[in-house]
Amino acid sequence: MPPDDVQRALIEQQLLHQSGIHEVHLVTLTPDVSGKISQSVDAADSPFNDRSQSGDAADSPFIYHCIGTGKADYGRHGIVNLLALQKRYLQLLYRLMPDVVHIHGSYHYINSRIALWSHKRGFPVVFSPYGGMNPDYIDAEYGKRTWKILSYQRDMVRGVSCVIVSDPKECDYIRQQRWNDRVEYIAAPEDPASLAAYSSRVSAIYEKVLDSDKGLHISERIREASGALLHLSLADDTERQPLCPEDILNLRSLTPTDWRDLFLFASEQGVLPMVKDVLIKIQFGTLPIDISEVEHFEPRHAKDTSPLPDDHLLSGNRIVGYRMRKHLSRSDANIQHVCYMLQNIRYHQHHHSLTLRHLCDLYSVFRHDDMDEELLATTLRQLHLYPYARRVCQVLKEVAYLDDGYMPVPALDDSSTSKIRTDLMKY
């Protein structure tokens, strides 16, 4: 964008909460996006009475499509037509496929819905309140703002991937309220000379958001590559062809950016050493990728990447402990290991600390240890673990390509299995 237009846009953004203007930017980062271009959208395709525009990739570190979400843009009866508005917004979202959804302006119900719609579909959301979260501003209009905070604004702040503030008081207030720890302060540009630094800082925050919670943002081909490498790492050395030709082609087609994302994902899930070892094992070649200096936010739920215990319970539940001692006292050692590991996987899932490392430990037991499958199934039923074991087998089949022949119980794919998948990628 020309400098004058950038300056005008930034000045408008600083006054958003005062003027009642609200915008949503669907942002695509320009570096390392081969083939991605800024798409123009016709007024008929926009969910709002159009004030839309597209940024210029040549003069900016990112490109974006801007839509206005104020009352003048979506119509006076927009909330009444919320379902139709949602449908048209999602059509635009999936047509542009942005890297980040940046919401500008606070205390606006439509913006809170857009944040929810985008987040549920895996698009990272960044929020800029522009003074709306300043405690002095809230106190000055106490009655008018408090009900909006309690009804939707607080939940919106809690759910976004990052909050960008231009006021130190806003930053302190959001952290004191424990709404969101991912708060970044950027001083508003005061002259054209500082616009380039401001734009670069915003772009760096977008990159930081995308480098955090990788499990939510990686593509399907990277997930498939990760599963193939984990399967290869856990396979027997005597197995002649553990990977199918499609997996081999997928691995060879990954770009350096894809490998960087895969390494970040593997690091979050505690399986990066396994991935690196198997790449050396298959002589894939040296990948000059260092993720130690990559900036990222700490996960909201701390992931546990330590080995999964197979001889004691992590939970302090006395009823579960008594039941385990009662039914496992005379069982085979391998059956005991499986039962303890399943209980500990359930514990990690309940505490949002489940990782691929834990599932891979169970995979290794299924793959390499001999046990009586009928006796195991009977013991799992006595411990009320049989349905859960079937769901874990289904997840292992998806994330590490566990073969049906190595499953001690048949896999089960239902709504509770989807909950395990969600918790595995929850940060």
Side-chain angles (χ1 to χ4, degrees):
M1 297 175 66
D4 292 342
D5 293 343
V6 174
Q7 184 180 17
R8 190 181 306 112
L10 293 174
I11 292 174
E12 287 178 358
Q13 290 172 10
Q14 294 175 41
L15 301 175
L16 281 175
H17 74 277
Q18 298 176 0
S19 62
I21 298 174
H22 299 269
E23 293 180 351
V24 175
H25 293 176
L26 306 181
V27 180
T28 298
L29 301 184
T30 53
D32 302 325
V33 283
S34 56
K36 275 195 174 182
I37 60 173
S38 176
Q39 304 182 49
S40 61
V41 177
D42 297 332
D45 295 328
S46 175
F48 309 96
N49 293 330
D50 219 297
R51 193 159 52 81
S52 303
Q53 59 185 0
S54 293
D56 185 3
D59 299 296
S60 174
F62 50 84
I63 57 179
Y64 68 91
H65 182 84
C66 171
I67 55 178
T69 57
K71 289 185 178 180
D73 300 297
Y74 68 84
R76 181 173 296 178
H77 304 289
I79 295 180
V80 176
N81 300 320
L82 196 60
L83 292 178
L85 188 70
Q86 177 184 8
K87 179 180 178 180
R88 298 193 65 188
Y89 171 74
L90 293 179
Q91 289 174 346
L92 177 64
L93 186 70
Y94 281 113
R95 176 175 173 180
L96 296 179
M97 291 300 291
D99 294 320
V100 177
V101 176
H102 192 163
I103 297 177
H104 302 269
S106 51
Y107 305 110
H108 190 42
Y109 183 72
I110 295 298
N111 283 357
S112 70
R113 295 297 90 190
I114 287 177
L116 180 64
W117 299 335
S118 304
H119 175 72
K120 278 189 172 181
R121 287 153 183 84
F123 292 90
V125 180
V126 175
F127 172 50
S128 293
Y130 296 108
M133 297 289 103
N134 189 311
D136 296 335
Y137 177 68
I138 295 173
D139 293 340
E141 302 187 22
Y142 179 76
K144 184 178 179 181
R145 300 301 173 191
T146 302
W147 75 268
K148 292 185 177 182
I149 290 176
L150 295 177
S151 59
Y152 60 83
Q153 188 63 68
R154 177 180 57 187
D155 292 338
M156 175 182 171
V157 175
R158 286 174 173 172
V160 298
S161 300
C162 178
V163 182
I164 300 178
V165 299
S166 55
D167 184 349
K169 286 187 177 181
E170 273 188 312
C171 182
D172 296 338
Y173 180 76
I174 293 173
R175 286 175 173 163
Q176 287 172 3
Q177 297 296 320
R178 297 183 179 179
W179 290 349
N180 199 323
D181 292 331
R182 301 179 173 189
V183 185
E184 294 285 339
Y185 166 71
I186 309 179
E190 299 178 355
D191 52 67
S194 60
L195 290 176
Y198 179 86
S199 182
S200 298
R201 180 64 180 140
V202 171
S203 180
I205 292 176
Y206 290 157
E207 292 280 4
K208 188 175 180 180
V209 167
L210 291 173
D211 288 335
S212 306
D213 308 341
K214 263 304 177 190
L216 301 175
H217 308 146
I218 60 173
S219 63
E220 188 63 29
R221 59 200 297 262
I222 296 179
R223 290 184 190 274
E224 292 175 355
S226 171
L229 290 173
L230 292 178
H231 173 74
L232 188 60
S233 175
L234 297 165
D236 294 327
D237 294 335
T238 57
E239 191 170 352
R240 178 172 296 179
Q241 184 67 3
L243 294 183
C244 63
E246 290 79 6
D247 290 327
I248 297 174
L249 289 175
N250 184 34
L251 287 173
R252 296 193 178 280
S253 67
L254 295 182
T255 65
T257 301
D258 293 333
W259 281 109
R260 177 179 177 275
D261 291 344
L262 192 153
F263 280 15
L264 287 171
F265 171 66
S267 177
E268 291 175 352
Q269 293 290 331
V271 293
L272 183 59
M274 297 172 62
V275 169
K276 289 185 175 181
D277 289 345
V278 77
L279 289 175
I280 296 174
K281 175 182 175 182
I282 63 177
Q283 300 179 351
F284 193 81
T286 304
L287 296 171
I289 298 174
D290 182 16
I291 62 171
S292 59
E293 302 298 328
V294 175
E295 278 193 273
H296 60 87
F297 292 106
E298 291 298 322
R300 293 184 176 91
H301 305 287
K303 291 290 189 178
D304 187 334
T305 57
S306 59
L308 188 68
D310 61 358
D311 57 356
H312 67 276
L313 291 174
L314 295 174
S315 171
N317 191 309
R318 294 183 179 181
I319 296 177
V320 174
Y322 170 75
R323 188 184 298 149
M324 295 287 286
R325 291 191 298 270
K326 177 182 177 181
H327 294 291
L328 295 180
S329 58
R330 298 182 181 179
S331 297
D332 179 72
N334 291 337
I335 293 179
Q336 292 184 21
H337 293 164
V338 171
C339 293
Y340 275 112
M341 294 175 85
L342 284 170
Q343 285 286 12
N344 290 331
I345 287 175
R346 175 178 278 178
Y347 171 86
H348 280 301
Q349 182 190 354
H350 179 72
H351 289 81
H352 307 295
S353 57
L354 182 62
T355 60
L356 285 176
R357 170 62 190 269
H358 303 140
L359 296 180
C360 287
D361 290 342
L362 181 62
Y363 181 113
S364 182
V365 173
F366 285 165
R367 186 78 185 245
H368 303 296
D369 294 352
D370 295 328
M371 63 193 76
D372 188 332
E373 294 185 359
E374 292 185 2
L375 182 58
L376 173 62
T378 300
T379 305
L380 291 174
R381 289 188 177 96
Q382 293 172 342
L383 296 172
H384 307 293
L385 282 175
Y386 186 73
Y388 190 76
R390 295 182 62 192
R391 297 181 182 110
V392 170
C393 285
Q394 175 64 32
V395 176
L396 279 173
K397 181 179 180 179
E398 297 169 1
V399 302
Y401 298 172
L402 177 63
D403 297 328
D404 293 342
Y406 291 104
M407 293 182 186
V409 295
L412 174 64
D413 191 0
D414 59 6
S415 59
S416 296
T417 308
S418 299
K419 184 67 167 59
I420 299 177
R421 297 189 193 101
T422 302
D423 291 336
L424 181 62
M425 300 302 171
K426 192 171 186 177
Y427 295 91

